[in-house]
Amino acid sequence: MAESSSSTKSRRRRSRMEEPGSFSRDSSSLLSEEQLLCSICLDVFTDPVTTPCGHNFCKSCLTQCWETSQHSHCPLCKEKFTKRPELKINITLREVADHFKKKSVSDKPEVLCDACTGEKLKALKSCLDCCATLCKSHLEPHYNVPSFKKHKLINPVENLEDYICQKHERPLELFCRDDQTCVCQFCTEGDHKNHNTVTIEEESRERKTHLGKTQQVQQMIQDRLKKIHGIKHSVELSKRNIEKEKADSVEVFTALIRSIERSQAELLEVMEEKQKAAERQAEGLIKELEQEITVLKRRDTELEQLSHTEDHLHLLQISSSMCSPPHTKNWTEISINTDLSVDTVRTALSQLQQTLHEKLTQTLKETVSTELKRIQQYAVDVTLDPDTAHPNLILSADGKQVTDGDTRQDLHDTPQRFNYYAMILGKQSFSSGRFYYEVQVRGKTDWEFIGVAAESINRKGGITLSPKDGFWTVILRNKNQYKAGASPSVPLTLRKKVEKVGVFVDYEEGLVFFYDVESRSHIYSFTGQSFTEKLYPYFSPYLNQGGKNLAPMIISPLCKTE
């Protein structure tokens, strides 16, 4: 009757699954296994829940993910939720996932009975004492015959020999912790005598408990998901910053072009006006000259006529007035100003150059200021490492200041310590990502180096300051002689004395940038570098010089900007 009731229930379940609107027996075939996998645990969904962005996860996986994160976000698309969503199980998806699990189990090949002589029936159990896998009818003695009731039965398996001791042909019921292997009862009386042995069930329980407590794989998954989120966030942030910088640069240079066009139009207008004035002046002078020429021609005609007259009395009467020339203007000093256009162009160009210089200077300052604000979000807390300090160097108690003491201290010469030049490294090292720190150098006449150095640099004896030897630095000599430690070194022309140096490194992109923090200007850049080992912040305050260069190098406190 129990079997009949079970069959009836099974038929009802099948009937329900085949009704319209329900999932058929093969409905999960419409979805691939990948579509039913939780992206956190990488297993088929258990109690799946759906986030507001539409992605699905196991309820326990998502809950654990949010408990280890400051924000509630989708682990897949990273969409942030201002308020943590209430998680409700997606019943439909759970039915599909559960059906998929059952189907996966049912798809496994059946284990057949070893005792059947004709058509082999499906096995129900495997007997470790009989070394056989048996169907329902052949298994009957194990339930009714007293001697068989003591036999060890397990779920049916094909590889039954793996559960039997090959030496004694007895069930492997024990686990030897000394040799980490499964053994039978007879083994404990021979090769494994006096060994620490427990039942297989007990060892299995302890290992399951241990696996449940460690959750190493889950934690590794969470760590990597967090890393992926960080990488994607950095790329998205970089993309947004680049887009903003592109838009700002377009706006700036568009304004500059408009200014140039406006200045050019004003210049052309002035030149054209002056040309018209010159033309008007010329027209007036020409008109006056033409009028005087007319008068002079008339006088010339009159004189010509008088030269042939026979009226001597008339000639004598008018000769005195005719002998003096008509009244005309003195044209000796009168001319057109032809130098106006040249002077105007030179003056206008000079003004335009000054305007452009002022605007470009302001633009560059604003651009560098924006860039500095952006990269300061990668600020790190740098502390000087006394184990690397040259014996002449004196450090502050907090490890943030260093100066040259002009006297060699009695310090143990470790492999990490510089013993030739007055140098020191930071404690922190970096082998990926981006980092930024600032160093105050106010009051110093010289500082040997500020920058970063590779872990493998030579710390004993003379060195060469260049990237090929693992150094990326800038240097000050004689109060105002700046240079970059390239190969060969590069002289730097700076508009004012540097009081605080900002150092920014992008490990993956191979970039090292130096900034004058106070004037918000760029000092120098190393680009296209290939970093393959740890990088350390690197300092040298240079020699004390009898107290002239006593001011310390100070690592400035910085907070990350959002």
Side-chain angles (χ1 to χ4, degrees):
M1 288 296 291
E3 184 177 23
S4 175
S5 176
S6 175
S7 300
T8 302
K9 290 180 180 179
S10 178
R11 284 196 300 273
R12 286 175 180 172
R13 282 196 298 268
R14 285 199 299 272
S15 175
R16 234 181 2 251
M17 292 293 287
E18 292 167 1
E19 290 175 359
S22 301
F23 290 100
S24 69
R25 188 174 180 83
D26 295 325
S27 62
S28 61
S29 63
L30 298 174
L31 297 171
S32 66
E33 183 176 359
E34 291 183 357
Q35 291 174 295
L36 295 173
L37 294 183
C38 170
S39 60
I40 298 178
C41 66
L42 304 180
D43 203 351
V44 178
F45 292 124
T46 299
D47 292 335
V49 292
T50 305
T51 58
C53 58
H55 293 115
N56 301 301
F57 307 91
C58 297
K59 184 177 181 180
S60 59
C61 293
L62 188 57
T63 301
Q64 184 179 4
C65 177
W66 285 351
E67 287 175 352
T68 58
S69 175
Q70 294 181 348
H71 305 286
S72 298
H73 65 276
C74 174
L76 200 58
C77 70
K78 307 308 176 189
E79 180 178 338
K80 288 186 178 179
F81 311 121
T82 54
K83 183 179 180 182
R84 177 171 292 190
E86 183 181 354
L87 299 178
K88 294 184 178 180
I89 295 174
N90 186 327
I91 298 175
T92 302
L93 185 58
R94 181 175 65 178
E95 288 182 359
V96 176
D98 290 347
H99 180 65
F100 182 86
K101 292 177 183 177
K102 292 176 182 178
K103 187 173 183 298
S104 298
V105 172
S106 64
D107 287 344
K108 294 181 179 178
E110 292 182 345
V111 179
L112 302 179
C113 177
D114 292 335
C116 290
T117 55
E119 180 182 356
K120 291 186 177 294
L121 299 178
K122 178 182 176 181
L124 291 185
K125 295 288 182 180
S126 292
C127 179
L128 297 180
D129 293 275
C130 299
C131 296
T133 299
L134 306 171
C135 65
K136 182 180 179 181
S137 60
H138 288 107
L139 193 62
E140 192 68 27
H142 287 78
Y143 297 124
N144 300 319
V145 179
S147 59
F148 282 97
K149 286 182 179 181
K150 297 179 181 180
H151 287 194
K152 181 75 172 180
L153 298 177
I154 62 173
N155 290 328
V157 292
E158 286 188 335
N159 53 333
L160 188 57
E161 62 275 7
D162 292 344
Y163 296 80
I164 305 297
C165 175
Q166 299 301 309
K167 183 176 182 181
H168 302 108
E169 295 185 351
R170 299 293 298 168
L172 295 172
E173 298 177 305
L174 303 172
F175 182 80
C176 177
R177 288 177 172 173
D178 294 341
D179 296 331
Q180 292 292 299
T181 185
C182 295
V183 297
C184 70
Q185 189 65 46
F186 289 171
C187 291
T188 61
E189 299 172 4
D191 297 338
H192 298 272
K193 188 175 182 179
N194 298 326
H195 285 191
N196 181 15
T197 58
V198 294
T199 64
I200 288 179
E201 289 80 1
E202 181 180 346
E203 180 69 17
S204 178
R205 280 195 303 271
E206 286 197 15
R207 293 201 177 191
K208 285 180 180 179
T209 302
H210 179 68
L211 289 173
K213 288 181 180 179
T214 58
Q215 296 181 329
Q216 291 180 345
V217 174
Q218 282 286 337
Q219 188 59 49
M220 291 172 67
I221 292 171
Q222 292 298 324
D223 293 343
R224 279 150 183 76
L225 284 171
K226 196 170 183 180
K227 187 68 174 178
I228 290 173
H229 172 66
I231 292 171
K232 288 184 177 179
H233 178 69
S234 296
V235 171
E236 184 61 30
L237 184 64
S238 175
K239 182 180 179 181
R240 288 201 300 267
N241 288 331
I242 291 297
E243 291 299 326
K244 185 178 183 303
E245 289 173 11
K246 285 166 63 178
D248 290 345
S249 64
V250 169
E251 182 179 347
V252 167
F253 285 102
T254 299
L256 286 174
I257 290 171
R258 288 174 182 168
S259 177
I260 293 171
E261 291 174 345
R262 186 166 55 252
S263 299
Q264 182 187 37
E266 291 173 356
L267 173 60
L268 293 175
E269 185 178 349
V270 170
M271 292 173 64
E272 187 174 349
E273 183 59 37
K274 291 194 174 184
Q275 177 62 27
K276 289 180 179 179
E279 290 176 356
R280 287 195 298 269
Q281 181 188 14
E283 289 175 359
L285 294 175
I286 290 171
K287 187 174 182 179
E288 287 185 51
L289 286 168
E290 287 177 343
Q291 290 174 349
E292 289 187 359
I293 289 172
T294 300
V295 172
L296 291 173
K297 282 184 177 181
R298 187 165 56 247
R299 175 61 62 85
D300 183 60
T301 301
E302 291 175 352
L303 290 174
E304 178 65 25
Q305 292 175 351
L306 285 175
S307 68
H308 296 92
T309 185
E310 295 295 334
D311 189 348
H312 301 294
L313 179 61
H314 179 66
L315 176 63
L316 292 174
Q317 289 175 340
I318 66 172
S319 61
S320 58
S321 61
M322 294 293 288
C323 289
S324 58
H327 178 71
T328 57
K329 186 184 290 189
N330 183 4
W331 295 93
T332 305
E333 302 297 330
I334 296 177
S335 63
I336 302 297
N337 188 355
T338 57
D339 295 331
L340 287 175
S341 59
V342 176
D343 291 340
T344 301
V345 170
R346 287 176 179 169
T347 303
L349 284 176
S350 177
Q351 293 175 347
L352 181 59
Q353 286 176 344
Q354 183 177 355
T355 300
L356 289 176
H357 177 72
E358 291 174 355
K359 288 187 176 182
L360 282 172
T361 300
Q362 182 63 26
T363 299
L364 288 174
K365 186 174 181 179
E366 291 174 356
T367 301
V368 173
S369 182
T370 302
E371 179 69 11
L372 264 176
K373 186 175 180 181
R374 182 180 69 83
I375 67 176
Q376 281 174 341
Q377 69 178 306
Y378 301 106
V380 294
D381 184 19
V382 175
T383 307
L384 298 168
D385 184 359
D387 293 337
T388 66
H390 183 275
N392 276 26
L393 297 182
I394 299 175
L395 277 63
S396 63
D398 62 358
K400 298 293 185 180
Q401 301 185 29
V402 59
T403 188
D404 185 85
D406 222 11
T407 303
R408 197 176 184 92
Q409 303 171 82
D410 186 16
L411 298 176
H412 183 59
D413 187 16
T414 63
Q416 294 80 24
R417 190 180 305 283
F418 293 99
N419 70 352
Y420 193 80
Y421 292 117
M423 303 174 181
I424 186 171
L425 298 180
K427 286 184 178 180
Q428 295 73 21
S429 64
F430 305 90
S431 55
S432 65
R434 302 167 180 172
F435 63 94
Y436 174 82
Y437 68 94
E438 293 179 356
V439 184
Q440 180 181 305
V441 290
R442 186 180 297 120
K444 296 193 68 61
T445 60
D446 297 77
W447 31 270
E448 187 75 359
F449 321 113
I450 293 175
V452 290
E455 184 176 33
S456 62
I457 55 172
N458 178 26
R459 308 187 189 200
K460 311 296 181 183
I463 59 173
T464 303
L465 285 178
S466 67
K468 68 178 182 179
D469 292 314
F471 296 91
W472 293 267
T473 64
V474 290
I475 304 161
L476 170 65
R477 280 285 185 275
N478 302 321
K479 297 183 179 181
N480 58 7
Q481 296 176 7
Y482 296 92
K483 61 181 179 178
S487 183
S489 61
V490 178
L492 303 175
T493 302
L494 305 182
R495 301 182 64 183
K496 60 185 297 185
K497 186 174 179 64
V498 178
E499 295 190 345
K500 185 180 288 186
V501 180
V503 183
F504 172 69
V505 178
D506 188 323
Y507 194 96
E508 281 76 17
E509 294 297 327
L511 305 176
V512 183
F513 290 170
F514 296 91
Y515 296 93
D516 181 345
V517 178
E518 300 296 337
S519 68
R520 318 300 282 180
S521 60
H522 175 258
I523 297 176
Y524 188 75
S525 296
F526 291 95
T527 60
Q529 306 300 303
S530 179
F531 301 131
T532 57
E533 54 184 295
K534 291 180 181 178
L535 297 180
Y536 290 83
Y538 175 57
F539 315 86
S540 175
Y542 198 55
L543 302 177
N544 184 294
Q545 297 178 337
K548 294 180 181 179
N549 191 35
L550 185 59
M553 273 185 172
I554 304 174
I555 300 173
S556 301
L558 271 172
C559 295
K560 292 185 179 180
T561 57
E562 295 297 334

